[in-house]
Amino acid sequence: MSLVTTTEMFKKAYEGGYAIGAFNVNNMEIVQAITEAAGELNSPIILQVSAGARKYANHTYLTKLVEAAIIENPNIPIALHLDHGADFEICKSCIDGGFSSVMIDGSHYDFKENIEVTKKVVEYAHAHGVVVEAELGKLAGIEDDVKVSAEDSSYTQPDEVEEFVSKTGVDSLAIAIGTSHGAFKFKPGTKPQLRFDILHEIEQRIPGFPIVLHGASSVPQEYVKIINDNGGKLQDAIGVPEDQLREAARSAVCKINIDSDLRLGLTAGIREVMNQHPDYFDPRQYLTVGRANVKAVVAHKIKEVLGSEGKA
Ligand code: G3H
Ligand code: 13P
Ligand code: ZN
């Protein structure tokens, strides 16, 4: 199978009441871990690349790693997606460079400018057989070292979605309902709660339209503990409860973005091995354990959160 767009994936996910996992990739071990888990569980998968990932690992290395993963896992649909494209130019570069899906993140613009830039990307992408995700509303948290405070974040306004979708021609829409980027999503002592009322109102206004949730890591406490027990210092790391993500996956939410949980799994594995074996200096010794943790995280998400097992 070659790279696919998300069109068919989202249609089946919407009708089937499950979601597709979109996992961020930054190196070979992460690509291997995600696609091995998805391959073994017969699950469709989205591999997504941020601007930071392209800066770190280089566009060519990343696309070639994904090509290799497709050869190794021929039975599952794999989409390659640009995560948080900041402007038309980066979207164009990924469309021209072989991605099957791009996100234009115009959430930092006002409504009218967001429509304009999204429409421009959609026109170019669709002319090249590529699909587009856009964002309405503003998530809190950290992306590409830019921190959006909780005060500056804002929920998606349901009365804007119909106009946005019809004027832009976009294929999926990321919304803000209380998730946020990174490993520190909620204040300690508060009860994490997504705004399902907003989600359901949006669903009713654009029936059948695929919704995307960013900032959907759950921050597994077992990995936080391993990190902290082995020299790390992550205080008050809190994620989105998995039962709320499971509920979202049954709704119009067709794509759930997860990056931080992979980072935690990888770091926990590396820290544990390094701490237990101060004599180790072969990267394969610790990356093997880190990679196994990432694979376990992805398998868990597919089976227990997304519901995409067996849907390839
Ligand atoms: O949305 C943020 C993702 O976790 C990507 O993070 O920009 O540090 O690669 P990054
Ligand atoms: P997390 O930081 O919750 O993993 O979110 C990742 C994400 O939204 C990537 O776009
Ligand atoms: Zn995101």
Side-chain angles (χ1 to χ4, degrees), residues 17 67-68 83 88 97 107 137 142 212 224 259 266 272 276-277 305:
E67 260 178 46
D83 192 26
F88 175 79
S107 60
I142 304 171
V212 178
V224 174
D259 185 6
L266 187 65
E272 197 172 30
Q276 285 171 358
H277 303 277
V305 179

Side-chain angles (χ1 to χ4, degrees), residues 2-53:
S2 53
L3 212 57
V4 299
T5 71
T6 52
T7 309
E8 190 68 14
M9 287 184 189
F10 289 168
K11 188 170 180 291
K12 289 186 184 164
Y14 198 103
E15 285 163 4
Y18 61 92
I20 312 294
F23 297 96
N24 288 69
V25 297
N26 289 280
N27 65 13
M28 180 188 77
E29 286 75 12
I30 296 173
V31 172
Q32 289 175 325
I34 298 164
T35 51
E36 273 178 27
E40 285 169 20
L41 295 169
N42 213 26
S43 167
I45 207 86
I46 299 167
L47 301 177
Q48 56 186 13
V49 168
S50 68

Side-chain angles (χ1 to χ4, degrees), residues 174-194:
I175 61 167
I177 56 165
T179 60
S180 69
H181 290 107
F184 307 91
K185 299 186 190 297
F186 300 96
K187 287 207 177 79
T190 58
K191 190 175 172 288
Q193 181 59 56
L194 300 186

